[in-house]
Amino acid sequence: MIVINIIGLVLIAIIVWWFWLYKPQETVVENNEIMIEVKNGVYSPALIQVAADRPILLKFFRNDQTPCSETLLFPSLEISEQLKLNEITQVNIKALIPGEYEFHCQMKMYHGVLKVI
């Protein structure tokens, strides 16, 4: 009984870390163009820094068959894209003002941030 409780607490800790405490390493993009891989439940890279006042080109390569990975949403920019399996989907974004713009799948299991500086 104690082993089951310990396993349960470890699983809860992992879930809390994954969804609320984990912070990916920031990737700085010089030319406002980057390839983002969708694989194993994550966007890689997931924290992307780009320059303000310049158009942005995000290239998503979906290598994950799960249904959740096929939809990409940028709610604050009103962008919704279908990501085809094993293909590159280009997302062109007009020049943005400085700020953070979250992107995620429809269930918010895959998530990332576009940081504009």
Side-chain angles (χ1 to χ4, degrees):
M1 185 72 156
I2 292 176
V3 173
I4 293 172
N5 287 336
I6 291 172
I7 291 171
L9 289 173
V10 168
L11 289 174
I12 290 170
I14 290 170
I15 290 169
V16 167
W17 175 79
W18 180 257
F19 284 104
W20 293 287
L21 301 178
Y22 171 72
K23 298 291 182 204
Q25 183 177 6
E26 187 170 307
T27 301
V28 178
V29 180
E30 297 296 325
N31 61 358
N32 278 16
E33 181 177 322
I34 188 166
M35 176 73 72
I36 302 164
E37 188 173 17
V38 183
K39 183 177 180 182
N40 298 328
V42 296
Y43 295 119
S44 181
L47 181 54
I48 304 160
Q49 179 181 313
V50 296
D53 301 324
R54 289 180 37 206
I56 304 159
L57 176 59
L58 305 177
K59 298 177 181 178
F60 286 85
F61 181 73
R62 179 177 163 227
N63 193 15
D64 192 325
Q65 294 182 359
T66 59
C68 190
S69 68
E70 68 185 354
T71 301
L72 169 70
L73 301 170
F74 277 86
S76 61
L77 302 175
E78 297 182 357
I79 294 174
S80 176
E81 292 286 338
Q82 292 299 113
L83 305 178
K84 294 180 182 172
L85 186 59
N86 296 320
E87 290 186 27
I88 294 174
T89 303
Q90 293 189 9
V91 178
N92 292 296
I93 300 174
K94 61 180 172 54
L96 297 172
I97 60 171
E100 291 189 355
Y101 302 87
E102 293 185 8
F103 58 95
H104 53 77
C105 67
Q106 69 268 20
M107 294 176 58
K108 294 187 179 181
M109 294 177 68
Y110 298 70
H111 45 84
V113 175
L114 183 64
K115 188 175 179 182
V116 180
I117 298 211

